[in-house]
Amino acid sequence: VLGQHDAAPRRGAEVLGGSDAPAIDAEVIEMVMTFFDRLQLPGVQLEINSIGHNADNCRRGYVAQLKAALEKVKDRLGADSQRRIESNPLRVLDSKLEHEQPIIETLPRIADHLCDDCKVHYAAVKRQLEMRGVVYRENWRLVRGLDYYTRTTFEITAQGLGSQNAVCGGGRYDGLVGRFRP
């Protein structure tokens, strides 16, 4: 499943099926980018990242290392980030607090912890986007804090919307359906 979601009203694009082909990720992203291009939104920008497999695979080691690094600087973080160290360390990377930005820049990056399969998948997604002429920027801080998200994440922003400039965001969430099984 590769999905896209936005604030409200709820609109989405999902691909359901057994394939985790990188071309599917690129196709959904291209479709959404084409939609925003046709709307002629000014300054539309796509950011992408890979957050690896679910918590049982390559992401587990990264989250443990991130949490350890955050514990060392905990006293320099705001209350929300301090709380997130325990509840969901990945969400600290989303912080918008100005005084936390230099600290976050020193934290471990997930790209250094991806397993070989996830590295290959991410490289293929980028290659597919390039073949399709989709311009993107990599953002190592672009994460999804829910465990069912895997591999590809993306966010599309537009100019002139202030600090809440995201018009669309999403990613691959192959692990979601498995959570509904009895």
Side-chain angles (χ1 to χ4, degrees):
V1 174
L2 181 75
Q4 166 270 313
H5 62 276
D6 56 8
R10 294 281 182 214
R11 293 184 184 96
E14 284 83 26
V15 177
L16 300 172
S19 175
D20 74 345
I24 293 173
D25 297 22
E27 184 176 0
V28 169
I29 292 169
E30 178 188 30
M31 177 184 69
V32 176
M33 289 298 290
T34 299
F35 172 75
F36 287 114
D37 184 52
R38 289 185 180 166
L39 288 179
Q40 298 180 344
L41 286 178
V44 172
Q45 182 172 337
L46 168 66
E47 294 183 344
I48 64 169
N49 192 24
S50 176
I51 58 173
H53 278 99
N54 63 32
D56 296 329
N57 293 311
C58 56
R59 195 179 329 149
R60 179 177 40 196
Y62 171 68
V63 170
Q65 190 175 37
L66 177 62
K67 188 174 179 180
L70 287 167
E71 287 291 345
K72 293 177 185 175
V73 296
K74 185 175 185 174
D75 61 328
R76 296 171 38 210
L77 299 173
D80 278 345
S81 291
Q82 288 181 9
R83 180 180 42 77
R84 288 175 174 160
I85 292 171
E86 293 304 317
S87 64
N88 197 338
L90 290 173
R91 300 303 293 182
V92 174
L93 301 177
D94 286 337
S95 173
K96 305 293 186 250
L97 294 178
E98 196 62 38
H99 80 277
E100 290 184 353
Q101 301 313 303
I103 298 166
I104 292 170
E105 282 299 316
T106 67
L107 295 173
R109 296 176 183 224
I110 195 163
D112 298 330
H113 299 273
L114 295 177
C115 67
D116 289 342
D117 286 344
C118 287
K119 286 178 186 174
V120 168
H121 187 275
Y122 187 45
V125 169
K126 293 187 290 186
R127 190 169 46 256
Q128 284 284 326
L129 289 171
E130 290 161 6
M131 287 174 28
R132 297 162 187 271
V134 177
V135 177
Y136 64 88
R137 183 177 78 102
E138 290 185 79
N139 178 354
W140 72 274
R141 291 176 55 175
L142 182 59
V143 296
R144 295 289 181 251
L146 303 171
D147 284 343
Y148 58 78
Y149 275 95
T150 59
R151 293 186 171 172
T152 306
T153 60
F154 69 92
E155 185 170 86
I156 301 168
T157 58
Q159 291 178 350
L161 300 177
S163 63
Q164 298 296 321
N165 62 349
V167 293
C168 177
R172 179 173 282 278
Y173 42 91
D174 296 336
L176 180 61
V177 174
R179 293 185 177 267
F180 294 120
R181 293 185 185 142

